[in-house]
Amino acid sequence: MLVCARCGTPADGAPPTTWTCSVENGVRQYFCDTCSRENLRAIEGRLDSAWW
Ligand SMILES: [Zn+2]
């Protein structure tokens, strides 16, 4: 079954369009809409921290 890679929320069948799919190390991972937002913030935070 398809679940959110971060919080484990199960998707009913195909991932909803609000979910984000990202490929990390050749593994396809899905993030629910909530985690997608937090994930984007984390990515942006990582980019920001590079400037410190
Ligand atoms: Zn999630």
Side-chain angles (χ1 to χ4, degrees):
M1 183 165 49
L2 183 65
V3 296
C4 172
R6 185 164 166 153
C7 70
T9 298
D12 194 15
T17 51
T18 51
W19 284 38
T20 300
C21 174
S22 81
V23 180
E24 293 177 14
N25 302 321
V27 179
R28 188 172 294 188
Q29 294 185 313
Y30 288 93
F31 297 96
C32 67
D33 50 355
T34 304
C35 292
S36 297
R37 248 173 277 139
E38 292 181 3
N39 203 39
L40 279 176
R41 214 172 296 154
I43 292 169
E44 288 170 1
R46 234 178 285 149
L47 290 174
D48 286 348
S49 66
W51 290 90
W52 293 6

